[in-house]
Amino acid sequence: MSSLFSRAPASRQCRSYLLQQFRPPKRTYSSSRDAGGVPPTVQRPTRFSKYSRRLGYLALGGGALYAWDRYYNASAIRRNLRTLQTCAMITIDYKLNFTPGKSEQIPELHERVAERMYNLLTSNGGLYIKIGQAIGANAAMLPKPMQVKFASLFDDAPQIPYSVVRDVFIKELGRPPSGPDGVFEIFEETAVASASIAQVHKAKTWDGEWVAVKVQKPDVGVQMEWDLGAYRAVMWMFENWAFDLPVYFIVDFVSEHLRQELDFINEANNAMQTAEFVRNEPSLRDRVHIPKVYPEYSTAKVMVAEWIEGVRLSDKAGIYKLMGEHEPHYNVNNLELNPMSATAMVAPSPQDAALVSTGYAFPEKPLKGGVKAIMQTMVELFSAQMFSWGWVHCDPHPGNIIVRPSPSNPTRPQLVLIDHGLYVRVPEDFKRQWVQLWRGMLAGDYKAVEEITKQWGMGLPDLVASFTLMKPTFLKRGRKPRPVDQLEKPRKQLSQYEMSVLMKRKLKEFLSDTDRMPKVLIFLIRNMRMVQGNNQSFGSPVNRIKITGDWASRSLFARRDLPLGMRVREWWHHVVFRMIMFSLDLAFWRSNFVRWVYEVRDWVLGKEGGVRKGGFEEDLERQMRLMAKDTLGVEVGEQAFSG
C-alpha cells in the first residue's frame, strides 16, 4: 500500500511533464528594452495584401457570375447592364445638351441617340428587336435620325445549330426530330428562315405530309423576363428623367403580348381561331387560307403547320410574274427607298430578299385580277379583323403573306397568312367606337370624332383623324368657329429647340389622359401602317382608305344580333356614308389618272423613272407633311406620316 501511494506523485509529475511538452510556449514581455526584454513580433497584414485579397475574391466572384450568366443564363445580366448603361448615357446627353443655348446642335444630339439605341437593339437581339419594331411602328413623330434607324431594324438572326434543335425536340416531345424513332420521317437540319425568337425547318411526317416546323431558340425564354424588366425600367427612366413624355403607360400591355408571342401553343390556337373566322366569312373563304396546324406535334416551344408553296409578298418580282404584270418603272431595281415611309416599314430584310421564289413552279398562265386583286383581298382581310371579328393579326409584314393559286379556282390568287404569334382582341365596346370614329373621320364630322376621342382621353381630334387615316383631315362639320382673337397668327421661324418643345407640348395634348387611352390602338395602328406599306410598295393599286371605311360602316348593319330597327338605322347611315365616300373615289381616280399621264409622257420621251413616283398613298403623304407643318408648327421629314 505504501508503495502504491508513493507512486502517485511520480505519475502526476509525468503528466505535468508531458503537458508542458505539448503546450505552446508562453509569450513573455519585458517591462523595458533596456532590461533585455524583446518586444513581441506580431505579423499583421499590410494594406496592399488586404486589398489584393479582396480584389482577388471580387475577381473570383465576378468571374463565376460571368460564367454562370453566359453559360446558364443566356447572358441576360450582361445584356441588361448594357441596356442601363446606354440609357443612362442617353439621359445624361439630353440633360446636358438639350438646351436653348445648344439649339443648333440638337440634330447631332438626335443622331448620337439614334445610333446608341440602334446599336443596343441589334447587339442584344431577341426581344429587343421586337420592342424596337414596336417603337418604330409608331415613330412618325420621332426625330428623323430615329425614324431612319428604327426603320432599318430587321428581324433576322443567326441559326442555332442542329444539336440545339435536337435537344429542344427531346425536351419538348421526348424524341429527336428524325431517325428511326424520330418525330418526322425527314427533317431538314438547315433552317429555311431564322428570326429573333425562332427558326423554321422543313419536314415530312410519317404520313407523307410536308410541314413547317417552328422551333423556339432556348436563350429567348431565359432572357424574356430580364428583357421585359429592363424595358420597364428604361421606359420609366425616359418618361420621368429624360424626355418628360407619356411612354410608360404602354409597358404592361406590350409586355403581356410579347409574352404571348413566345408561347407556341397560344400561336397554334390563334391560327385555328383565325381559320375559323375565315371559313365563316363568305367573301373571304376562297381568297384567304390559314395553314393547318398539327396540335399533336405542337408544344410551348415547337409548332408544326402545313407547308405552303407560293410566292411571298416580299418577292415583288415574283408577285408581278405570278400575276402576269410588268413592274412599274419607278419600282424597278428597288430605287432608293425613303427610310421613313410606310414602304420602308415593310421592306424585305436581307433574309427575305434571299427567299426569292426561284424554286417555285409558276403556273403556265398568269393568275387573273392582277396585283390589284391581291391588295384588295389583303385590305379586306385586315378590315374584317378590325371591324367584324375583333381579332387582329399584328404583324402583316410581306414576309408573312404568301400568294398562290386558289385551290378552289386555280385562275385566281389566294392569300396565305402565316406567323400567328401576335394578336390582339378588340373589345366589343371599343369596336363600336372604332366604327363610329371611322364614320366620323371620313364624313368630316368634328363633333362625332371629338366625342370618341374624349372618351379615349385624347385631344386634338383633327390630329387623331389624320394619324388614323394617314391622310390630312380637317373636320368641319359640327365645329364651332373660333373667335377672331383666338385665331392663330403666322408662326415665326422656329429654332431646333423651339420645334422640339412645341412637338412635345402637342404630343402631350394628343395623349391627354393615357389611363383612358385604349392600349389596343397601338397594335391596330401598327397593323394599318403595314397594310398601307404593302399597298404603297406595289404602287397603290387599291383605295385602301375607302375599302377600310366601307367595311367599318357596313360591319354594324350586317350584325344579325342587333334589333331590326337598329339594323335599318345603321343601313341608312351606311348609305349616307357611301355617298360621302364618293368624293374619296374621285380623289383616287384623279391620282391614278395623273400618274398614268406621267407614265405615258415618260414612255414617249424615253425617260426612265419620272419625277412622280408611286400613287395615291404618296399623294396623301405629301399632303400630310403640309398638315403637320400647319398643325404642329414643325417641319416633318418626307414621308414621316406614311402609314
Side-chain angles (χ1 to χ4, degrees):
M1 293 292 291
S2 61
S3 62
L4 291 174
F5 286 103
S6 64
R7 291 178 184 173
S11 62
R12 285 196 295 270
Q13 291 176 0
C14 181
R15 288 197 298 271
S16 176
Y17 173 77
L18 291 174
L19 289 173
Q20 289 178 3
Q21 295 300 313
F22 291 99
R23 182 181 298 143
K26 294 182 179 180
R27 290 180 180 175
T28 59
Y29 298 93
S30 173
S31 60
S32 172
R33 289 177 183 269
D34 296 337
V38 179
T41 55
V42 180
Q43 293 292 333
R44 294 182 178 178
T46 64
R47 179 176 297 179
F48 174 78
S49 62
K50 180 167 60 177
Y51 284 112
S52 296
R53 188 181 300 114
R54 291 178 181 176
L55 186 61
Y57 291 152
L58 184 63
L60 184 62
L65 179 63
Y66 174 82
W68 172 80
D69 184 52
R70 179 175 180 181
Y71 296 106
Y72 298 99
N73 198 41
S75 300
I77 295 177
R78 183 161 56 93
R79 288 153 54 88
N80 282 7
L81 291 176
R82 184 188 297 132
T83 300
L84 296 177
Q85 177 191 8
T86 300
C87 295
M89 291 172 62
I90 290 173
T91 301
I92 294 171
D93 203 357
Y94 264 105
K95 289 294 185 183
L96 295 178
N97 298 305
F98 188 73
T99 62
K102 298 181 179 180
S103 178
E104 298 308 315
Q105 299 175 19
I106 287 179
E108 299 174 7
L109 169 64
H110 293 327
E111 288 278 1
R112 291 196 302 273
V113 170
E115 188 68 27
R116 286 169 180 158
M117 288 298 297
Y118 180 81
N119 291 339
L120 171 67
L121 297 171
T122 53
S123 298
N124 283 352
L127 280 184
Y128 279 77
I129 299 295
K130 294 288 185 182
I131 293 171
Q133 290 177 328
I135 297 173
N138 300 278
M141 293 304 296
L142 289 178
K144 181 178 178 180
M146 296 186 190
Q147 295 182 46
V148 172
K149 283 296 184 182
F150 279 114
S152 60
L153 276 176
F154 296 119
D155 192 10
D156 293 345
Q159 297 186 20
I160 56 175
Y162 174 72
S163 59
V164 177
V165 174
R166 189 177 187 279
D167 291 342
V168 172
F169 260 78
I170 292 176
K171 183 178 179 180
E172 293 294 313
L173 295 167
R175 292 185 290 165
S178 60
D181 59 340
V183 177
F184 302 105
E185 180 183 2
I186 299 174
F187 185 89
E188 296 184 359
E189 297 185 5
T190 301
V192 296
S194 177
S196 56
I197 66 173
Q199 62 189 43
V200 177
H201 294 258
K202 188 176 182 180
K204 184 180 180 181
T205 68
W206 292 101
D207 295 331
E209 296 179 291
W210 286 99
V211 293
V213 184
K214 187 174 182 178
V215 182
Q216 187 175 128
K217 299 178 178 180
D219 286 353
V220 176
V222 178
Q223 296 165 349
M224 178 181 64
E225 292 304 326
W226 289 89
D227 291 349
L228 293 179
Y231 169 59
R232 180 181 298 275
V234 167
M235 296 301 274
W236 185 91
M237 184 188 305
F238 282 173
E239 176 169 322
N240 293 280
W241 292 352
F243 306 124
D244 189 28
L245 283 174
V247 293
Y248 187 76
F249 73 98
I250 66 172
V251 168
D252 288 335
F253 189 78
V254 171
S255 297
E256 176 190 350
H257 284 82
L258 288 176
R259 288 189 184 96
Q260 292 176 11
E261 193 170 4
L262 295 186
D263 183 356
F264 287 177
I265 293 178
N266 180 69
E267 179 173 351
N269 291 334
N270 290 346
M272 291 186 285
Q273 175 67 81
T274 307
E276 181 67 20
F277 278 126
V278 170
R279 281 194 297 270
N280 293 331
E281 181 58 55
S283 64
L284 296 173
R285 186 179 299 147
D286 295 328
R287 295 189 289 153
V288 177
H289 177 70
I290 308 300
K292 172 188 173 184
V293 175
Y294 293 78
E296 64 271 24
Y297 298 129
S298 299
T299 70
K301 299 185 185 304
V302 176
M303 194 187 88
V304 179
E306 170 189 6
W307 180 266
I308 299 294
E309 291 288 353
V311 183
R312 289 180 183 264
L313 200 63
S314 54
D315 180 7
K316 292 174 65 175
I319 291 293
Y320 280 112
K321 179 179 178 181
L322 181 67
M323 305 310 297
E325 294 184 351
H326 296 289
E327 187 172 359
H329 62 76
Y330 50 79
N331 281 335
V332 173
N333 299 325
N334 199 14
L335 297 176
E336 184 179 354
L337 188 64
N338 191 304
M340 294 182 294
S341 68
T343 310
M345 186 178 178
V346 297
S349 67
Q351 180 176 257
D352 285 336
L355 292 174
V356 294
S357 308
T358 51
Y360 176 67
F362 285 86
E364 294 182 1
K365 294 183 178 180
L367 304 184
K368 296 179 180 179
V371 174
K372 180 179 179 180
I374 297 174
M375 292 298 111
Q376 180 82 21
T377 300
M378 181 195 67
V379 177
E380 288 188 15
L381 169 62
F382 294 111
S383 298
Q385 291 184 357
M386 282 193 293
F387 300 111
S388 296
W389 307 342
W391 179 249
V392 183
H393 187 292
C394 297
D395 196 14
H397 192 276
N400 290 336
I401 299 174
I402 300 173
V403 183
R404 67 175 185 178
S406 173
S408 61
N409 184 359
T411 64
R412 305 289 298 186
Q414 183 184 66
L415 261 65
V416 181
L417 185 62
I418 62 175
D419 195 355
H420 299 271
L422 186 57
Y423 272 78
V424 291
R425 188 175 294 280
V426 181
E428 197 63 35
D429 290 343
F430 173 83
K431 188 166 64 173
R432 186 168 54 254
Q433 293 173 333
W434 188 230
V435 170
Q436 293 170 353
L437 180 73
W438 270 80
R439 276 183 175 173
M441 290 186 304
L442 294 177
D445 191 337
Y446 180 88
K447 188 175 180 180
V449 174
E450 184 184 39
E451 181 181 347
I452 299 299
T453 55
K454 279 185 176 180
Q455 295 178 43
W456 291 352
M458 302 173 71
L460 305 176
D462 290 325
L463 201 58
V464 173
S466 298
F467 270 94
T468 303
L469 296 174
M470 283 304 120
K471 66 184 288 287
T473 305
F474 184 75
L475 307 166
K476 297 180 181 179
R477 290 177 54 197
R479 190 187 197 111
K480 295 180 180 179
R482 287 186 181 181
V484 177
D485 59 342
Q486 294 184 14
L487 293 177
E488 293 188 4
K489 299 178 181 179
R491 293 188 179 97
K492 64 176 183 178
Q493 184 68 31
L494 300 178
S495 67
Q496 291 286 338
Y497 178 81
E498 290 171 331
M499 280 194 258
S500 298
V501 170
L502 177 60
M503 183 180 294
K504 183 186 293 187
R505 179 168 62 82
K506 289 289 187 180
L507 287 176
K508 285 186 174 181
E509 292 180 33
F510 183 63
L511 301 173
S512 57
D513 187 351
T514 55
D515 290 336
R516 287 191 291 152
M517 176 187 167
K519 310 304 184 290
V520 70
L521 270 176
I522 298 166
F523 288 106
L524 292 186
I525 291 176
R526 169 186 169 88
N527 174 286
M528 290 190 299
R529 283 175 60 79
M530 287 191 170
V531 170
Q532 181 192 6
N534 290 333
N535 185 42
Q536 184 173 325
S537 67
F538 284 92
S540 310
V542 299
N543 188 339
R544 169 187 57 88
I545 296 176
K546 184 203 170 185
I547 296 171
T548 306
D550 183 69
W551 199 285
S553 181
R554 64 187 170 93
S555 66
L556 287 181
F557 81 81
R559 289 181 51 178
R560 300 186 181 277
D561 59 331
L562 294 179
L564 180 60
M566 188 175 293
R567 289 185 65 187
V568 171
R569 186 167 64 251
E570 291 296 341
W571 173 81
W572 173 247
H573 288 163
H574 178 63
V575 171
V576 174
F577 175 78
R578 288 295 300 270
M579 290 188 290
I580 295 173
M581 289 289 289
F582 183 68
S583 61
L584 191 60
D585 277 331
L586 293 177
F588 178 73
W589 295 332
R590 176 189 174 279
S591 175
N592 284 346
F593 176 74
V594 172
R595 185 182 64 174
W596 176 79
V597 170
Y598 273 88
E599 288 182 353
V600 171
R601 184 203 65 178
D602 293 341
W603 178 76
V604 171
L605 298 178
K607 292 183 178 181
E608 286 295 330
V611 296
R612 182 182 179 83
K613 297 188 290 185
F616 188 52
E617 303 284 7
E618 284 75 11
D619 290 339
L620 297 182
E621 286 183 354
R622 284 187 284 270
Q623 296 171 34
M624 281 295 291
R625 293 199 303 275
L626 296 176
M627 186 280 301
K629 183 176 180 180
D630 181 66
T631 303
L632 299 176
V634 295
E635 292 281 358
V636 180
E638 185 176 340
Q639 293 182 312
F641 287 101
S642 56

